[in-house]
Amino acid sequence: GFADDEGRPVADLPLTKVRMQISAHEGGTRMEVADRVTREQMEQLVSMGAVEGMQAAMSQMDALLAA
């Protein structure tokens, strides 16, 4: 979920549950991410820049997994 500057939950922003699984795959590593949200939550997250944020975070994973 999202929090304010004091760390308190912001009730009117979506609360999501993300499942991440990392496993060996064909000599490398596979990372699978699943997020369960409603259409309304997804639209709100997209409007807040979640797609760009996820892309920025995921672009760092190759280096992290190689370490």
Side-chain angles (χ1 to χ4, degrees):
F2 294 88
D4 65 16
D5 291 339
E6 301 296 320
R8 293 181 299 259
V10 178
D12 59 336
L13 293 177
L15 179 62
T16 63
K17 187 177 278 192
V18 177
R19 181 180 156 265
M20 182 184 299
Q21 182 174 343
I22 299 175
S23 59
H25 180 72
E26 297 179 2
T29 305
R30 167 178 269 167
M31 182 174 75
E32 298 176 64
V33 179
D35 191 358
R36 304 259 182 201
V37 295
T38 65
R39 178 180 292 268
E40 181 180 276
Q41 289 171 320
M42 180 58 74
E43 290 171 354
Q44 186 176 13
L45 290 166
V46 167
S47 74
M48 294 169 58
V51 173
E52 296 82 4
M54 186 66 81
Q55 288 171 334
M58 294 301 161
S59 71
Q60 302 173 50
M61 290 298 156
D62 285 342
L64 178 63
L65 294 172

